[in-house]
Amino acid sequence: MSKLKIVLLSALISIVVIIVILLFFIPLSQTFPASLHLYPYESHRLIFNDTQGSGTEILVMTSGGQVSLSLSSPTGQKIIDNVEVTSSYYYDFNAPETGTYMLCIKNPQISGAEVTIHIIEERSLISFL
C-alpha cells in the first residue's frame, strides 16, 4: 500500500508542477489588429492597456504613403518619438509601467495612406483568467 501512496503522491505533485508552469511561466500572445485609411494630414490614436514588464510588439505596415508614429506611456514619456515609416516598422519593448499607452499615427503627406497595425502582447495564462 505504501508504494501506491508514493506513486499517487508523485503523480499529484507532477500535475501541480505542470499546472503552475502553464499558468505562470509559459507566455501566450494576444494580437490586436487594426486597419485604417489615413487621409492627407489626418492622424489616429490607438489606445491599449499594458502591464508593467510584459512584452509588447508593435508591427506597422503602410502602403501608398509615409506615416509618422509616436508611442506614449501612461506618464506621457515618449517611447517612440515621430518615427517615419514608409513600408513597415517593428518595435519590441517591455512595458515600463502599468496603464494606458497611446500610439499616434499621423499622415504628413498630401496623399492618403493605408495602414495595418498589429499590437501583440505576451502574457502568462494567469493574466487572462
Side-chain angles (χ1 to χ4, degrees), residues 63-78:
S63 63
Q66 172 182 331
V67 295
S68 174
L69 294 178
S70 296
L71 177 65
S72 300
S73 72
T75 59
Q77 174 191 2
K78 292 283 186 179

Side-chain angles (χ1 to χ4, degrees), residues 44-96:
H44 280 283
R45 290 183 169 88
L46 284 99
I47 297 172
F48 62 96
N49 291 321
D50 211 346
T51 307
Q52 182 176 7
S54 68
T56 302
E57 301 171 17
I58 296 173
L59 175 61
V60 177
M61 295 170 285
T62 182
S63 63
Q66 172 182 331
V67 295
S68 174
L69 294 178
S70 296
L71 177 65
S72 300
S73 72
T75 59
Q77 174 191 2
K78 292 283 186 179
I79 298 171
I80 300 173
D81 192 15
N82 289 326
V83 172
E84 300 296 326
V85 179
T86 55
S87 60
S88 67
Y89 180 75
Y90 174 80
Y91 188 73
D92 185 9
F93 73 102
N94 286 327

